[in-house]
Amino acid sequence: MIDSDEDETPEGRASHPVTAPAGPRYEATFPALSTEEIDRIRPFGEVLRYPAGAALFETGKPGPGMFVILTGRVAISRRDGLGNVAPVIEQGPGQFLAEVGQLSGQPALVDGHAVGDVETILVPPDGVRRLMVEAAELGEKITHALLLRRTSLIESGAGGPILIGRESSRDMVRLQTFLSRNTWPHTVIDPEADREGLALLVHYRVENPDEPLVVCPDGWILRNPGEADLAKQLGMLDDGRSRKTYDVAIVGCGPAGLAAAVYAASEGLTVVVLDAVAFGGQAGASMRIENYLGFPAGITGQELAANAHVQAQKFGAEILIPTTVNGIDCSRANGLLTLDVDAGPDIEAKAVVVASGAKYRRPDIPGLRRFEGRGVWYWASPIEAKLCTKKEVIVVGGGNSAGQAAVFLARNAGSVRMMVRGKGLAASMSRYLIDRIEATGNITIMVETEITGLTGEPDGDLAGVTWRDRRRGVDGSAAIENVFIFAGADPATGWLRGCGVELDRNGFVVTGTRPPSPTGEPSSPLETAVPGVFAIGDVRSGSVKRVGSAIGEGSQVCSAIHQFLAALDGEDAKPKAAA
């Protein structure tokens, strides 16, 4: 990198020694395959040979799939858009080269070059997916390694873009959040703390450090890009998708949509999932879910969603993020439902599942929008928590999301004020969270209290907050720079207008009202008034707004989809039972 004092390779790029830590995690990340396991893999790929120095895969270029080394060795190195190269590891006979991106043909995040002549089995992405399903034990071994490798890449930032700008700026937080929630490796350089970052801003004539410079792995420079532009440049979003017509299109990639994708794809349906932001939905931003069945120690929403995201891809679901759905044509002029999307051509499907969830509700606070991303947040991730170190913060809301955020932020923040409109927490929060909040010494609960104003410089960050304690009739204020709002959410159903889907008075989707079909088939409890359009999760009127319920509805809807598709194709309805 610029002004680096590190040793350099003959090409003039920084080099670092290879480290090979021993231990269970290393062995799980880079396992060796037995002769029997390699023979099991052979039918899924083809044997290819590479001369010394040849590239098997390169950072930023579409990954061809999984390589199994038969003879020779392959050197893995990481490379960024500034030309810095660092060796990672060498792998030899019996080892395989891939990470989770190869399930869907995403760009490679590292380079792989032959050390001497190399013979491999190349298994393309569809072959990897079939292998995982048909060879369960071997598939489990490979899947575990792929997940650990992506985790290692995220920890090192390998293969991802470099974000250069003031770390606390609105757009830096926006881009970091987008990449983090989509588990994409990246590196952050703050010019206020790193002379190298400052030199780069000067070199590229960036005058405002609040507007990030993004250096992509291929060397392409983006100036404060939108999420869609960044995703396309990185290869996260491929407009050249394998098909344009699907059995099922799922709008929304939260717990409900992911569950529907896993079950539908595992049962042989062609599935596409679309989301405008990230997989996981609102649950993906939760730092700890402790009342979801099967996780007694709790699990982060990000981890739960990331596992489901990989699981859906394992069964062949295509996931397009970020993709905004602008509308739906339910006329079935060509026998299909049509989704109008902002990325690539329209998507046609026999059935559509509405799992678009809800969008964060904005309280009526003067100046609120001005400070969004500049001290006002609607989620609490490690990115925002870092900005609150040893500072006083406010959490608005009395539900589980607010409680989880307060407990999480209290680890770093100097103090946390929880402002609740009601008389207490018992009516809207789980008891275990209330107990934890009460046991956390730096959290103060302020009941019947509302924020009345926000202050700060024009075009600047939040600097102060005023509030009203209605119970005591007392006003208060403090120099607080971060406010986290969890005041409920409104359904994301604007894209359904004009298609015949019925909404209740609050905008949630009404289901179970379709008249019986001409053959006498009754409506599914999850089907809308429009045949073939289903709704699940938070967006559905009357649903229980919990992760477990959303996942349950995601699995339940697949039976109704099978029944609908069978009737649509003129076959006997034979819905498959969810596992």
Side-chain angles (χ1 to χ4, degrees):
M1 299 177 79
I2 291 176
D3 294 334
S4 175
D5 295 324
E6 299 174 85
D7 295 335
E8 296 188 340
T9 64
E11 292 80 8
R13 297 175 296 183
S15 176
H16 304 267
V18 177
T19 57
R25 175 166 173 171
Y26 175 82
E27 293 170 1
T29 306
F30 302 105
L33 301 173
S34 67
T35 301
E36 292 75 14
E37 288 173 327
I38 293 175
D39 289 340
R40 185 71 177 89
I41 292 172
R42 287 181 185 275
F44 296 91
E46 61 175 327
V47 176
L48 296 177
R49 296 173 178 83
Y50 297 86
L56 283 70
F57 45 87
E58 296 181 76
T59 303
K61 294 185 179 180
M66 181 178 75
F67 290 89
V68 179
I69 304 174
L70 300 177
T71 62
R73 299 188 68 79
V74 177
I76 309 300
S77 58
R78 60 187 187 188
R79 170 169 52 90
D80 64 30
L82 297 174
N84 300 302
V85 175
V88 176
I89 195 171
E90 278 192 12
Q91 298 205 272
Q95 295 182 301
F96 60 91
L97 314 174
E99 58 90 36
V100 292
Q102 273 59 71
L103 289 175
S104 57
Q106 287 182 339
L109 297 175
V110 291
D111 295 337
H113 289 88
V115 179
D117 294 340
V118 172
E119 183 179 50
T120 73
I121 301 171
L122 172 58
V123 184
D126 64 331
V128 177
R129 296 193 296 267
R130 287 190 293 111
L131 170 66
M132 289 180 170
V133 173
E134 296 179 26
E137 290 186 9
L138 178 55
E140 180 181 356
K141 181 178 184 177
I142 293 172
T143 301
H144 188 46
L146 301 187
L147 288 168
L148 288 173
R149 291 176 186 184
R150 175 55 72 97
T151 299
S152 296
L153 291 170
I154 291 171
E155 290 172 350
S156 67
I162 300 172
L163 310 183
I164 307 169
R166 190 166 66 92
E167 199 166 359
S168 61
S169 73
R170 181 204 303 255
D171 289 310
M172 277 290 281
V173 172
R174 172 179 60 82
L175 293 175
Q176 285 185 75
T177 300
F178 171 71
L179 293 169
S180 296
R181 291 196 59 184
N182 285 291
T183 61
W184 200 268
H186 60 281
T187 302
V188 174
I189 298 178
D190 189 336
E192 294 182 348
D194 191 311
R195 63 189 180 91
E196 202 166 46
L198 181 60
L200 286 167
L201 292 185
V202 172
H203 177 75
Y204 289 108
R205 297 183 175 87
V206 177
E207 297 180 359
N208 185 359
D210 285 349
E211 296 182 356
L213 189 73
V214 180
V215 183
C216 298
D218 59 3
W220 197 262
I221 306 294
L222 301 177
R223 297 174 184 268
N224 197 20
E227 289 89 335
D229 291 335
L230 177 59
K232 289 178 182 177
Q233 186 62 42
L234 296 177
M236 296 171 65
L237 184 61
D238 182 12
D239 288 345
R241 46 185 170 264
S242 63
R243 64 176 74 239
K244 297 177 185 176
T245 302
Y246 300 83
D247 291 324
V248 187
I250 301 170
V251 182
C253 200
L258 283 168
V262 168
Y263 281 95
S266 68
E267 293 172 3
L269 299 180
T270 56
V271 179
V272 64
V273 189
L274 309 105
D275 198 287
V277 181
F279 60 80
Q282 292 188 61
S286 175
M287 292 312 299
R288 185 151 299 275
I289 302 171
E290 294 189 63
N291 58 355
Y292 182 62
L293 186 67
F295 294 92
I299 186 172
T300 68
Q302 176 77 10
E303 184 181 1
L304 182 66
N307 288 342
H309 181 245
V310 172
Q311 195 173 13
Q313 292 179 87
K314 165 185 169 180
F315 290 118
E318 291 186 44
I319 300 179
L320 305 181
I321 299 174
T323 299
T324 299
V325 178
N326 301 314
I328 178 173
D329 181 352
C330 296
S331 64
R332 288 193 184 269
N334 58 351
L336 299 166
L337 298 163
T338 303
L339 294 175
D340 172 20
V341 300
D342 67 342
D346 291 348
I347 290 176
E348 296 179 327
K350 296 177 182 178
V352 168
V353 176
V354 181
S356 46
K359 54 188 177 182
Y360 301 105
R361 183 175 299 155
R362 292 181 170 91
D364 186 16
I365 300 173
L368 182 67
R369 288 180 181 269
R370 178 160 67 97
F371 293 109
E372 289 177 339
R374 292 179 170 174
V376 171
W377 317 100
Y378 297 93
W379 56 87
S381 77
I383 296 171
E384 292 77 33
K386 185 177 179 180
L387 304 177
C388 301
T389 302
K390 298 183 179 179
K391 296 179 180 179
E392 184 176 12
V393 303
I394 291 175
V395 174
V396 176
N400 279 4
S401 295
Q404 289 163 353
V407 171
F408 170 66
L409 291 168
R411 301 175 191 170
N412 280 19
S415 62
V416 178
R417 295 177 184 261
M418 281 199 73
M419 294 188 177
V420 185
R421 292 183 62 185
K423 297 181 182 296
L425 300 174
S428 54
M429 187 179 293
S430 298
R431 185 68 239 178
Y432 81 91
L433 268 177
I434 296 175
D435 292 341
R436 186 160 301 160
I437 289 168
E438 291 176 347
T440 304
N442 62 340
I443 298 179
T444 301
I445 302 173
M446 303 172 67
V447 298
E448 297 185 60
T449 301
E450 297 178 271
I451 292 178
T452 55
L454 304 171
T455 59
E457 295 295 325
D459 297 323
D461 296 338
L462 178 65
V465 180
T466 58
W467 59 83
R468 175 73 175 177
D469 182 334
R470 300 194 318 274
R471 182 180 57 176
R472 297 187 299 162
V474 175
D475 294 323
S477 65
I480 292 176
E481 300 174 355
N482 290 282
V483 173
F484 296 82
I485 297 178
F486 299 88
D490 296 314
T493 52
W495 61 280
L496 291 169
R497 292 192 182 94
C499 70
V501 171
E502 182 183 353
L503 306 179
D504 67 16
R505 63 180 183 178
N506 295 315
F508 292 90
V509 178
V510 176
T511 58
T513 59
R514 177 182 63 77
S517 68
T519 58
E521 294 291 340
S523 171
S524 160
L526 301 177
E527 192 171 13
T528 71
V530 177
V533 178
F534 303 84
I536 57 175
D538 287 1
V539 77
R540 190 177 70 83
S541 180
S543 67
V544 178
K545 315 305 184 190
R546 288 287 187 270
V547 171
S549 175
I551 292 173
E553 290 188 6
S555 62
Q556 181 185 351
V557 77
C558 291
S559 176
I561 291 171
H562 277 293
Q563 193 169 23
F564 171 79
L565 294 179
L568 188 69
D569 295 336
E571 303 172 0
D572 292 332
K574 296 178 180 179
K576 299 182 181 181

